[in-house]
Every structure is written in C-alpha cells, then in structure tokens.
Amino acid sequence: MTESLSESPLAAQLQDEQQRRRKLSELTLEKPEETRIITVSNQKGGVGKTTTTVNLAAALADHGFNVLVIDIDPQGNASTALGVPHSAETDSIYDVMIDDLSMADVVAECPDVERLSVVPATIHLAGAEIELVSLVAREQRLQRALEEYFRHREESGDERLDYVFIDCPPSLGLLTVNAFVAAREVLIPIQCEYYALEGLSQLLNNIRMIQKHLNPPLRVSTILLTMYDARTNLAAQVVEEVKEHFPQEVLEAKIPRSVRIAEAPSYQQSVISYDRSSTGALAYLEAAAELVQRG
C-alpha cells in the first residue's frame, strides 16, 4: 500500500520545520549587557569553522543585533563569503596588526546583510606569524586594536556592537593566540564525524595556557555540532560523546549537512541571504538564537 503524502518523511520534515520557524518568530531576544567577543576556533580543518562564523554572524544580524566579523585567516574565506573585497591591495587586518592602522579604516559593510560589518583578511597575513614575533606586545595586537575601535565607535556616536566573531586560521600560531587574547569566549565547531574529538585536547590545553598567562576570563562557552546527518548512527554517537565531555557547552541546535550551506560562499553570501527558506539557514538562525539566550 502506498504511503500517503501526509505520512511521508518529507511531509513530516516540512511540518517540523514550520513549527521551528514559528517558534523562532515568537522569540524575543535581548541585547547582551556588553559586547560579546567570540573566537571561533578548531585547529582541525574541515569542521565548518568559517562557515559557522559567517552564518552565525549573519543570523545574529538578521535577529537585529550589530555584529562585526574579524577575519584573521590568511585564506580570507570569511571575507569572500560575506562579499567583502580582500585583494592584496585592500587595507586589512594585516595592516591593523602589523602597521598599527586603525581598525575603523579597514572595516567594510557586508553588502547584503544589514548591521553586519567585516574586517577583511588578505594574503599578506600569511607572513604575519613571522612578522609578529619581533613586535612589542605581539600577543595583544588584536585586543588593543579592537578596544581602540570600540572607543572610536563610541566617540563617533555609533551604536555599540553586540557581537564580535573572530575567525581563526586552522593552526595554533600567533594569529590564533591574538584571537584568544582579544576574546572572552571560544566557540568550537565539532563535526559529527569519526574522530570528531581528535586534536581537541591540544586546543583546550592552549586555551588553558592563554587563561593562565594572558587572558584569565577566557572560557569555552559554546560547542556547535556541524555536518549532522540524523539518518546515521555515527552522528548520534558523536552527539552523545561530545555532550558527555561538554554537558553545559553544547548547543541543542545542530547544523545539518546541507547543499545550500556549501553553495552559499561561491555566491559570496551567507546561507541566510542565499536561501533563507533552507534547512541550513533555519539551523543557523536557531543556533544564533540559542547563543543569545544562553548569554
């Protein structure tokens, strides 16, 4: 006997998404008491780190918050995904960290997301690890530039930023150290794959070292599960394992494997702009709302 449309898995999924969208639309999200500075880090590649940075930032801006993304990955993928120019000639975070250029002079508005601005990265950052070694206060360069930018905004009468996301390179060098020193929170994306927690102990050790010597308030506040496929037993096992290690930090929202999420950067857009009706966009909007509610 053929399955009726109303009982089909597709219909069930559509109904579930409709309910989730309705729930989201009814939420009232409060602005944080002070700017939340969040470094998105995982030295393991391919976990959705930049994708998470870009889409959480766009989702929060969509929810009505003022958001800044700082791209300190020499590949500049976050800059690309948000449609911001970052050719070698562009003034960028490199000029801020190495040549003391004001961050206000390099901030660019995201063309298709209101309330979202970006400090782009250029290929010059590839040599920044070596150049930083000889500079005074080399671990605090980003922190000081960001504090100066906050003062500039205040003096200019601009609205306060609600969220700052720092997208790191997939390594634990001086650029990532600068990101940890500038932030108060670390968000770690973990993919729902085999060896999901591999290498995480090294990252956590580094964060503890930063806490001890350079930035005591730093904490891992958020774990976001990415590339989730509800059809596999492996994904369910990974979720359980991660929750066992990080019971307080794991968001309930999970980011699914999604063609739309993968396609969006090639159009220089977040998935929120590219296809707001997609499952991937819904998941990031939910994750953003949960991030706000958890404070």
Side-chain angles (χ1 to χ4, degrees), residues 2-295:
T2 57
E3 188 177 39
S4 72
L5 184 62
S6 62
E7 295 166 347
S8 72
L10 178 61
Q13 183 187 336
L14 289 171
Q15 191 174 5
D16 173 60
E17 286 185 14
Q18 205 171 8
Q19 286 173 346
R20 286 160 62 195
R21 287 183 202 284
R22 193 179 307 119
K23 193 175 170 186
L24 258 183
S25 68
E26 290 166 358
L27 284 178
T28 302
L29 299 174
E30 301 291 335
K31 288 189 176 249
E33 288 179 10
E34 58 181 9
T35 305
R36 288 178 66 182
I37 308 170
I38 303 170
T39 284
V40 183
S41 181
N42 191 334
Q43 79 269 28
K44 191 175 178 187
V47 300
K49 179 179 57 63
T50 297
T51 303
T52 290
T53 303
V54 163
N55 289 307
L56 275 182
L60 284 164
D62 187 86
H63 282 306
F65 298 100
N66 296 314
V67 187
L68 174 69
V69 170
I70 301 176
D71 188 356
I72 61 164
D73 186 342
Q75 295 178 72
N77 290 338
S79 307
T80 300
L82 292 171
V84 171
H86 61 106
S87 64
E89 297 75 37
T90 308
D91 286 337
S92 70
I93 192 64
Y94 170 85
D95 303 282
V96 172
M97 292 177 72
I98 304 298
D99 297 327
D100 293 320
L101 189 65
S102 170
M103 195 177 279
D105 293 333
V106 304
V107 169
E109 297 302 316
C110 178
D112 55 9
V113 183
E114 280 184 48
R115 293 180 291 275
L116 176 57
S117 47
V118 184
V119 177
T122 62
I123 194 64
H124 295 306
L125 264 188
E129 294 277 1
I130 297 162
E131 292 176 79
L132 280 167
V133 171
S134 60
L135 295 180
V136 176
R138 61 191 183 186
E139 297 95 351
Q140 283 98 12
R141 307 286 291 185
L142 181 58
Q143 179 192 34
R144 290 179 180 184
L146 192 52
E147 286 171 354
E148 190 220 334
Y149 179 57
F150 289 163
R151 285 194 296 273
H152 168 83
R153 287 182 68 97
E154 195 176 343
E155 288 162 10
S156 303
D158 294 333
E159 280 187 48
R160 192 197 69 188
L161 289 168
D162 299 306
Y163 291 86
V164 175
F165 286 93
I166 306 172
D167 186 38
C168 297
S171 66
L172 295 171
L174 271 173
L175 288 172
T176 301
V177 168
N178 264 271
F180 285 150
V181 172
R184 287 294 174 269
E185 303 176 44
V186 180
L187 184 154
I188 305 175
I190 296 179
Q191 84 283 33
C192 296
E193 302 284 355
Y194 198 54
Y195 295 139
L197 295 172
E198 189 184 52
L200 207 57
S201 60
Q202 181 61 49
L203 175 62
L204 296 173
N205 284 340
N206 278 59
I207 291 169
R208 276 192 286 271
M209 290 286 283
I210 300 291
Q211 284 172 325
K212 187 176 177 183
H213 298 290
L214 294 164
N215 186 7
L218 185 68
R219 65 192 174 93
V220 176
S221 66
T222 312
I223 306 280
L224 179 63
L225 293 159
T226 63
M227 303 176 197
Y228 177 73
D229 186 344
R231 299 168 299 180
T232 68
N233 290 331
L234 175 62
Q237 287 167 9
V238 171
V239 171
E240 286 310 306
E241 190 179 1
V242 175
K243 281 186 172 177
E244 196 178 307
H245 283 81
F246 305 98
Q248 305 301 318
E249 294 84 1
V250 180
L251 294 184
E252 287 302 318
K254 302 172 195 68
I255 308 304
R257 283 197 170 279
S258 160
V259 173
R260 287 290 186 257
I261 291 174
E263 284 175 346
S266 64
Y267 292 89
Q268 300 196 349
Q269 289 183 312
S270 69
V271 73
I272 315 295
S273 305
Y274 178 61
D275 186 357
R276 191 190 171 80
S277 64
S278 66
T279 309
L282 173 60
Y284 272 114
L285 287 162
E286 286 177 324
E290 198 176 342
L291 187 75
V292 174
Q293 288 173 317
R294 284 173 169 234

